[in-house]
Amino acid sequence: KGSLVCVGTGLQLAGHVTVIGKSYIESAEEVFSLMPDAFGQRWLEGLNTNITDLQQFYAKAGEVKNRRLTYEQMTEAIMTAVRAGKRVVGVFYGHPGVFACVPHMAIARAQKEGFQASMEPGISAEDCLWADLGIDPGNYGCQSLEASQLMFFEHQLDNAGYVLLWQIALAGEHTLTGFSTTEERLRVLVDLLRQWYPEQHKVCLYEASNLPIGACRAEWVYLKDLPEATLHAITTLVIPPVRELQYNLRVLNQLGLTPEDLG
Ligand code: SAM
């Protein structure tokens, strides 16, 4: 009977994959992969010879294709092998369940059809970010949002904690066919962010290195300059807190405590 495990390879080539993730890849009957670059794909091919690259489902040069269709085709490619009774492994860079819909869709579909399916966690871009920038998200709290979701839906940002905006290079791209944003859309985003942050607030364009030898990109710019900044598909925007944590005197009172009790 077919089965599915989705594993993450982390971001850094060969070094971030977990022991169990690697063993799943090596023993799979069929592997489907979504790696960030050709180096990663080649490394994978050294672990298992039966690999289908899911990149083929993205729009070709000049083609207009909705990414929803792409994700559906990727999911069905995986499911076809599961239904054929294969022990299938989906390999995705980073954490397979973080800002990645295909692993979630494939696992849910497989389980619905009665197959065994599960996910193994991996090292996500966010994990690398905390390590590279020397930030502990526990100090002030952290919100992680897709940039477009922040723009399209009502969200309240907590500007006393960290805010991470994922897929900043696609901010406001609603058609799901384009692969970049525009200065105009980024100005709309900056305008939205201005209700929580001053325009001189410094934000960081973060890109973890995919190779063990490379350094990360951590470029600090003023919020107002974001529309002119260089953004890549892998850029995550980091917005540090702009105000101090405020005591919740009502809850402290209910606990019989005062701020002085917290040390
Ligand atoms: N599943 C991936 C993970 O666990 O990191 C995230 C995939 S999501 C579709 C793509 C977004 O992840 C990018 O737009 C960016 O926000 C973030 N990302 C991916 N690679 C990155 C990198 N090398 N450095 C920083 N952020 C990255």
Side-chain angles (χ1 to χ4, degrees):
K1 196 168 162 80
S3 66
L4 172 64
V5 181
C6 289
V7 307
T9 57
L11 291 209
Q12 220 164 75
L13 179 68
H16 280 182
V17 68
T18 61
V19 174
I20 193 167
K22 192 171 172 210
S23 102
Y24 274 125
I25 297 168
E26 286 168 336
S27 59
E29 288 176 300
E30 211 161 328
V31 173
F32 291 86
S33 67
L34 210 48
M35 298 298 287
D37 51 40
F39 297 114
Q41 190 61 24
R42 224 162 297 142
W43 164 75
L44 209 53
E45 285 161 8
L47 300 182
N48 191 306
T49 50
N50 197 5
I51 297 185
T52 302
D53 187 352
L54 292 172
Q55 297 280 1
Q56 62 181 294
F57 295 111
Y58 279 116
K60 312 272 179 298
E63 186 189 5
V64 177
K65 183 173 181 182
N66 191 300
R67 280 192 288 282
R68 270 198 200 101
L69 174 60
T70 298
Y71 301 146
E72 176 59 27
Q73 289 173 336
M74 290 177 176
T75 304
E76 270 308 295
I78 294 170
M79 283 307 299
T80 302
V82 174
R83 290 181 194 121
K86 299 279 175 53
R87 209 166 53 250
V88 179
V89 169
V91 184
F92 301 85
Y93 79 90
H95 185 306
V98 172
F99 291 85
C101 64
V102 173
H104 284 297
M105 281 164 60
I107 288 171
R109 200 166 295 177
Q111 288 175 341
K112 196 167 168 215
E113 294 181 22
F115 298 101
Q116 201 165 51
S118 60
M119 182 182 285
E120 284 296 328
I123 295 177
S124 73
E126 183 169 338
D127 298 314
C128 298
L129 188 154
W130 305 133
D132 282 335
L133 302 188
I135 297 167
D136 183 342
N139 285 348
Y140 305 105
C142 164
Q143 279 174 291
S144 253
L145 293 115
E146 196 194 355
S148 290
Q149 197 190 79
L150 174 66
M151 297 172 80
F152 299 155
F153 298 89
E154 289 287 351
H155 274 287
Q156 284 305 319
L157 293 190
D158 176 8
N159 60 4
Y162 280 89
V163 171
L164 306 184
L165 294 186
W166 298 63
Q167 300 203 301
I168 186 73
L170 291 177
E173 206 294 300
H174 74 288
T175 66
L176 295 180
T177 56
F179 285 90
S180 59
T181 185
T182 61
E183 283 191 28
E184 213 172 354
R185 288 181 186 139
L186 288 167
R187 268 191 284 276
V188 173
L189 174 62
V190 170
D191 191 51
L192 173 69
L193 289 169
R194 288 282 284 108
Q195 63 187 290
W196 296 288
Y197 304 98
E199 61 177 21
Q200 297 288 343
H201 192 49
K202 280 225 170 151
V203 297
C204 179
L205 303 165
Y206 172 72
E207 293 168 10
S209 171
N210 284 343
L211 296 173
I213 45 162
C216 70
R217 175 186 181 205
E219 187 182 337
W220 291 87
V221 299
Y222 289 119
L223 178 59
K224 69 178 175 57
D225 296 329
L226 183 64
E228 291 85 39
T230 303
L231 302 178
H232 303 119
I234 63 166
T235 312
T236 299
L237 187 75
V238 186
I239 312 180
V242 73
R243 66 181 175 90
E244 307 227 319
L245 291 170
Q246 304 293 306
Y247 289 107
N248 187 331
L249 296 174
R250 186 178 57 82
V251 173
L252 286 180
N253 188 40
Q254 286 172 339
L255 295 170
L257 299 173
T258 65
E260 291 69 44
D261 291 320
L262 301 183

